[in-house]
Amino acid sequence: MDLNNEVERLLRQALPLDELFIKSEGSHFEVIAVSAEFADMSRVKRQQAINGPLAELIAQNAIHALSVKTFTPEQWARERKFIMPS
């Protein structure tokens, strides 16, 4: 099983995402998620929205470390130039 594809599948199934970027090294994952759904969520709720669908993979230690960055489409339009490599 390709874990990146599984993470993407689980997150896209759980959330209406405009954009999703996943980077991994071994069991360490970095997720950048963009969705209008995040507009009314606190930072904690956003984190929970990403962690929830991945809970089983985290419990199995397939994901040992998870860094999450969440953005609304408007925030992403402003922030992407600072985050994404050219």
Side-chain angles (χ1 to χ4, degrees), residues 1-12 20-31 54 57 62-63:
M1 165 179 72
D2 178 359
L3 211 46
N4 278 21
N5 287 342
E6 181 64 7
V7 167
E8 179 171 356
R9 185 187 70 76
L10 290 168
L11 291 177
R12 288 198 181 275
L20 178 63
F21 303 94
I22 300 164
K23 192 167 71 175
S24 65
E25 288 181 28
S27 62
H28 292 232
F29 282 77
E30 184 178 340
V31 172
L54 304 178
L57 292 175
I63 296 175

Side-chain angles (χ1 to χ4, degrees), residues 19-74:
E19 295 188 60
L20 178 63
F21 303 94
I22 300 164
K23 192 167 71 175
S24 65
E25 288 181 28
S27 62
H28 292 232
F29 282 77
E30 184 178 340
V31 172
I32 297 173
V34 181
S35 175
E37 292 275 308
F38 296 140
D40 297 328
M41 291 185 189
S42 67
R43 184 183 297 248
V44 170
K45 290 287 184 200
R46 291 179 181 199
Q47 183 86 26
Q48 290 170 341
I50 298 296
N51 286 7
L54 304 178
E56 192 170 319
L57 292 175
I58 294 167
Q60 295 167 354
N61 222 22
I63 296 175
H64 176 69
L66 179 61
S67 164
V68 175
K69 294 183 176 119
T70 56
F71 301 94
T72 64
E74 296 76 21

